[in-house]
Amino acid sequence: MPTYTALTTLPGKAPAEALGEALESLSPEPTGVGVFEIEDDSGLWEVGAYFTEAPDEAGLALLATIHGAKDFTVSELPETDWVAHVKRELAPVVAGRFFVYGSHDADKVPADKVPLLIEAAMAFGTGHHGTTQGCLRAIDRLAGEGVAPGSVADIGCGTAVLAMAAARIWPVMPVAGDIDPVAVEVAEANLAANDMAGRVQCVEATGYDHPALAAAAPYDLILANILKGPLVDLAPDTARHLAPGGHVILSGLLNDQAAEVTAAYEAEGLTLGHAEQIGDWTTLTLKRP
């Protein structure tokens, strides 16, 4: 069965959500509609719909005009065995001492690597994105320098791959928080899949706003792989929750955003120790004196 996509962009969350709602009334009806902010500081939002039969292009054009959006781009997707495709595309990733893999590659885990099993379908943070790789490499680098934190926080944990990496190599029980309750469920499922149940405390939290995160502070290591805006907003809270001599690993920022994020944390008294670019993304490691 063919699948069709119709994609457009327009400025502003409210207009984008209104257009997404209006798409639901098309005939033939879409099988799914998505509304996403484009994380490049452009202020644009992407609105997309999926169809199992050719969409009404005249109707799409009318909706785009009414809502001030660009013309929809309609494409027919080739029939694909997506499971096989994902298994081919998501090959294991080596990031320092860590080996991130899906269950279909369980027979490929090297004996000299720290294994982290993360399924591709389970939230953000499979290890294939430059931000996750950068954070894992930063954790590996700190460990190689002899850093041994006694307390770790993973803010915006997603799959909890970073918290699990810390718990694998250090005798700590990280506290991993995420604003999304589904991400917390995914994190706990990943811990179970890695035989690590009980080795990371997973909580639903906005930033540091949770009793468990407050109780374990101050932290020797804070991990935050989020986005530029939240990273800048969290700089004062992160500094307050960081122990003297503690480290912060930050990612989720484009290369041209690194200077702004660095400045926000330097304003809180932290110093930049290392920055690494992987593709379009930068990972920062900062330290509190």
Side-chain angles (χ1 to χ4, degrees):
M1 179 182 296
T3 299
Y4 299 85
T5 63
L7 300 172
T8 187
T9 58
L10 70 167
K13 178 180 180 181
E17 290 179 339
L19 176 54
E21 185 175 349
L23 281 169
E24 301 280 4
S25 64
L26 276 181
S27 181
E29 294 182 5
T31 58
V33 174
V35 179
F36 305 99
E37 184 178 11
I38 299 175
E39 298 293 347
D40 60 359
D41 292 329
S42 66
L44 291 175
W45 288 67
E46 181 179 87
V47 179
Y50 290 84
F51 301 83
T52 55
E53 53 185 303
D56 176 5
E57 296 198 34
L60 289 170
L62 180 60
L63 287 178
T65 299
I66 292 172
H67 291 272
K70 290 186 176 180
D71 290 339
F72 277 91
T73 299
V74 178
S75 304
E76 180 179 354
L77 301 181
E79 292 189 34
T80 303
D81 181 345
W82 288 108
V83 173
H85 176 77
V86 166
K87 289 182 177 181
R88 285 195 303 271
E89 294 297 317
L90 294 186
V93 171
V94 176
R97 71 191 67 197
F98 301 107
F99 184 85
V100 186
Y101 68 102
S103 58
H104 57 281
D105 285 318
D107 60 340
K108 298 178 182 177
V109 179
D112 62 342
K113 295 295 181 183
V114 178
L116 295 168
L117 169 60
I118 305 290
E119 293 296 0
M122 300 183 75
F124 179 82
T126 62
H128 295 79
H129 197 276
T131 60
T132 310
Q133 288 184 47
C135 290
L136 289 171
R137 287 164 63 100
I139 292 170
D140 175 70
R141 188 180 304 108
L142 288 180
E145 294 170 356
V147 173
S151 52
V152 176
D154 184 359
I155 306 301
C157 65
T159 60
V161 62
L162 303 182
M164 288 194 297
R168 283 282 203 207
I169 63 172
W170 292 307
V172 295
M173 181 185 288
V175 183
D178 201 289
I179 193 171
D180 183 357
V182 174
V184 177
E185 293 177 6
V186 166
E188 291 174 340
N190 277 329
L191 285 163
N194 283 270
D195 295 324
M196 295 181 67
R199 294 184 58 186
V200 174
Q201 185 176 6
C202 302
V203 299
E204 183 181 343
T206 302
Y208 297 87
D209 188 17
H210 192 281
L213 284 161
Y219 294 98
D220 299 317
L221 175 62
I222 295 176
L223 310 162
N225 181 14
I226 325 176
L227 292 169
K228 185 203 78 171
L231 287 177
V232 171
D233 293 342
L234 283 171
D237 267 358
T238 297
R240 281 194 293 271
H241 285 81
L242 188 63
H247 292 83
V248 179
I249 295 173
L250 307 174
S251 198
L253 54 146
L254 294 165
N255 295 334
D256 61 4
Q257 298 171 339
E260 181 181 349
V261 174
T262 300
Y265 284 78
E266 288 180 338
E268 300 298 330
L270 279 65
T271 57
L272 179 64
H274 191 272
E276 180 178 15
Q277 293 184 355
I278 299 178
D280 295 330
W281 304 91
T282 294
T283 299
L284 304 172
T285 304
L286 300 103
K287 183 178 181 179
R288 182 173 180 179

